[in-house]
């Protein structure tokens, strides 16, 4: 059961809306602030997609959703929240303005998480004059309502207790919190993604393959291995009976070979953008972003459901967490609010008016 009683979301883009959806579907009331006039529609679309995915996970019925309120100001949004997730664009000046306002009006015991993809928390918490010690990076992965990983990073002023409470809060809504041991830009997940993205841009630019061919190489090959074992465990198995030591002895020397362009960046000009965008349009075969989101979500649920049945029914990797999360949601769904039961009973016992006749 979630230990979050009331949440606030500052920013309702793709990531912010994903947080809202996960929180609502865990039965938590959320107050959101986003100045975008289209925010309500965009958050509604993401929540609709999340609800659809959760219905596949819980065919027996979903928990009662939390109440969503659109606040007119940041102050109103955070006024009585014990968990606040900031998801505004990646501009340090904007982060400073928003976090300063959150810090000014949020309850002193509220945990503040930032969805930043790469800004160090130390660089953000300088704007928080009252309680910088309660800021952590809580970096998720899209779609937030399905992918469980959240990287937690503390800054120089972050209290260790705040990190522990943040871990408990994120875990209570079905997430897998991983605390990053040292504060670095882009943390761990995005560092790995950046390396692969950089190499991929060169492969496309140099005409080695198309974007669709590159994606096929990932999704038909090592992507399937990564989804269930990650990198190092996959390589341990690849080392045979001798394990990781043999693998490193065999393939370690390859690291000195000139196979990669990771130290260089292709010029990000209009020609490269057009090349990739055109190939990406062809790859989509006319499917809209919303249609692709549905396909993505269906596949993610299916993968996690499959993994949840492995390891003699105990689940494996993300599947084990998924198994526990769906059980948690099912228990929550089975609970009927006392007030609702009382209201139903009162309604049933209320004398009916006699028909005039």
């Amino acid at each position: 059961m979630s230990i979050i009683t009331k949440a606030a979301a500052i920013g309702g883009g793709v990531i912010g809306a994903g947080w809202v959806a996960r929180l609502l579907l865990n039965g938590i009331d959320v107050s959101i602030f986003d100045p975008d006039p289209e925010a309500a529609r965009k958050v509604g679309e993401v929540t609709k997609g999340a609800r659809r995915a959760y219905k596949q996970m819980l065919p027996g019925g979903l928990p009662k959703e939390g109440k969503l309120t659109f606040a007119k100001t940041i102050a109103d949004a955070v006024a009585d929240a014990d968990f606040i997730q900031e998801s505004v664009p990646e501009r340090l000046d904007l982060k400073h303005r928003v976090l300063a306002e959150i810090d000014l009006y949020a309850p002193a015991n509220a945990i503040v998480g930032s969805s930043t993809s790469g800004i160090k928390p130390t660089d953000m918490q300088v704007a928080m004059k009252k309680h910088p010690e309660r800021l952590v990076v809580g970096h998720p992965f899209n779609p937030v309502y399905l992918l469980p990983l959240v990287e937690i990073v503390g800054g120089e002023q972050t209290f260790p207790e705040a990190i522990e409470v943040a871990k408990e809060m994120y875990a209570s809504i079905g997430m897998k919190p991983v605390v990053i041991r040292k504060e670095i830009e882009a943390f761990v997940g995005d560092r790995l993604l950046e390396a692969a993205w950089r190499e991929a841009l060169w492969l496309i630019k140099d005409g080695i393959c198309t974007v669709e061919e590159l994606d096929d190489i990932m999704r038909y090959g090592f992507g399937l291995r990564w989804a269930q074992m990650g990198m190092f465990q996959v390589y341990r198995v690849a080392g045979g009976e001798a394990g990781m030591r043999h693998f490193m002895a065999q393939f370690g020397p390859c690291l000195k070979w000139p196979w990669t362009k990771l130290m260089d960046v292709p010029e990000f000009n209009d020609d490269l953008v057009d090349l990739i965008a055109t190939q990406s349009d062809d790859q989509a075969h006319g499917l809209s972003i919303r249609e692709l989101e549905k396909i993505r979500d269906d596949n993610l649920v299916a993968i996690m459901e499959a993994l949840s049945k492995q390891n003699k029914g105990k689940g494996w990797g993300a599947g084990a967490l998924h198994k526990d999360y769906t059980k948690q949601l099912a228990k929550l769904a089975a609970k009927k609010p006392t007030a609702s039961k009382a209201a139903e009973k009162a309604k049933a016992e209320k004398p009916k008016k006699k028909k005039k006749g």
Side-chain angles (χ1 to χ4, degrees):
M1 181 178 290
S2 174
I3 60 173
I4 302 169
T5 58
K6 173 69 183 300
I10 310 301
V14 173
I15 298 299
W19 279 115
V20 169
R22 180 178 277 270
L23 290 161
L24 290 176
L25 290 167
N26 274 270
I28 300 167
D29 292 344
V30 182
S31 182
I32 181 173
F33 171 76
D34 190 316
D36 182 357
E38 290 283 292
R41 181 190 64 78
K42 293 175 181 177
V43 172
E45 288 288 338
V46 172
T47 303
K48 180 181 177 182
R51 194 180 296 117
R52 176 181 172 277
Y54 273 50
K55 285 179 179 177
Q56 295 179 58
M57 292 159 50
L58 296 161
L62 302 181
K64 182 181 178 182
E65 286 188 23
K67 179 183 178 183
L68 178 61
T69 303
F70 282 86
K72 295 182 179 179
T73 64
I74 290 177
D76 289 342
V78 305
D80 57 351
D82 54 7
F83 173 78
I84 301 157
Q85 189 74 23
E86 168 273 308
S87 306
V88 302
E90 295 285 84
R91 291 188 359 239
L92 187 56
D93 61 330
L94 178 59
K95 298 280 191 187
H96 281 170
R97 291 200 302 273
V98 168
L99 289 170
E101 197 165 350
I102 291 173
D103 188 46
L104 184 62
Y105 295 106
N109 63 340
I111 291 294
V112 180
S114 174
S115 300
T116 179
S117 297
I119 301 174
K120 293 195 294 186
T122 293
D123 294 338
M124 293 188 291
Q125 63 191 169
V126 295
M128 303 171 72
K129 304 304 180 185
K130 292 176 64 180
H131 297 288
E133 71 279 357
R134 36 92 172 265
L135 175 73
V136 299
V137 163
H139 175 232
F141 291 79
N142 187 40
V144 181
Y145 51 82
L146 281 182
L147 290 182
L149 178 64
V150 56
E151 293 179 303
I152 298 179
V153 190
E156 291 177 1
Q157 299 184 71
T158 305
F159 282 176
E161 294 83 0
I163 292 176
E164 290 304 311
V165 173
K167 281 175 59 179
E168 291 177 12
M169 286 184 161
Y170 287 122
S172 74
I173 54 174
M175 304 196 81
K176 171 67 175 178
V178 176
V179 178
I180 306 305
R181 295 170 180 268
K182 293 184 179 181
E183 184 186 16
I184 58 171
E185 291 91 346
F187 325 126
V188 175
D190 279 351
R191 290 257 176 147
L192 294 171
L193 289 172
E194 175 72 14
W197 170 241
R198 189 186 300 256
E199 190 73 23
L201 291 176
W202 277 113
L203 292 168
I204 304 303
K205 180 182 182 299
D206 290 346
I208 308 299
C209 61
T210 66
V211 296
E212 184 169 8
E213 290 163 349
L214 187 140
D215 283 350
D216 282 348
I217 287 167
M218 295 183 74
R219 65 193 184 120
Y220 286 92
F222 56 84
L224 291 171
R225 299 187 310 197
W226 284 0
Q228 41 111 7
M229 279 192 171
M231 180 182 289
F232 284 97
Q233 197 166 52
V234 162
Y235 285 165
R236 176 182 177 82
V237 174
E241 293 182 359
M244 181 60 79
R245 291 185 182 279
H246 176 68
F247 178 85
M248 294 183 72
Q250 184 175 6
F251 294 101
C254 300
L255 298 175
K256 295 181 180 180
W257 299 350
W259 279 0
T260 180
K261 291 188 175 180
L262 281 179
M263 303 310 296
D264 297 317
V265 183
E267 184 181 353
F268 219 75
N269 53 29
D270 290 342
D271 289 341
L272 181 59
V273 171
D274 288 343
L275 176 65
I276 292 175
T278 300
Q279 290 184 9
S280 181
D281 289 342
D282 293 340
Q283 181 186 16
H285 298 296
L287 293 171
S288 69
I289 295 297
R290 294 300 177 202
E291 289 170 326
L292 288 170
E293 285 177 343
K294 289 179 181 178
I295 293 170
R296 175 202 65 191
D297 290 356
D298 289 350
N299 292 340
L300 286 173
V301 171
I303 289 168
M304 289 191 290
E305 288 283 349
L307 289 173
S308 73
K309 298 172 184 175
Q310 300 306 307
N311 194 22
K312 298 181 180 179
K314 297 177 183 178
W316 178 269
L321 181 64
H322 178 78
K323 190 182 187 78
D324 291 340
Y325 184 43
T326 51
K327 285 181 180 179
Q328 175 183 314
L329 291 173
K331 287 181 181 179
L332 188 60
K335 291 183 179 179
K336 299 293 183 183
T338 305
S340 296
K341 280 187 175 180
E344 289 174 7
K345 184 178 179 182
K347 183 178 180 181
E349 295 176 351
K350 186 177 180 180
K352 296 179 179 179
K353 291 183 179 180
K354 293 182 179 181
K355 294 182 179 179
K356 293 180 180 180

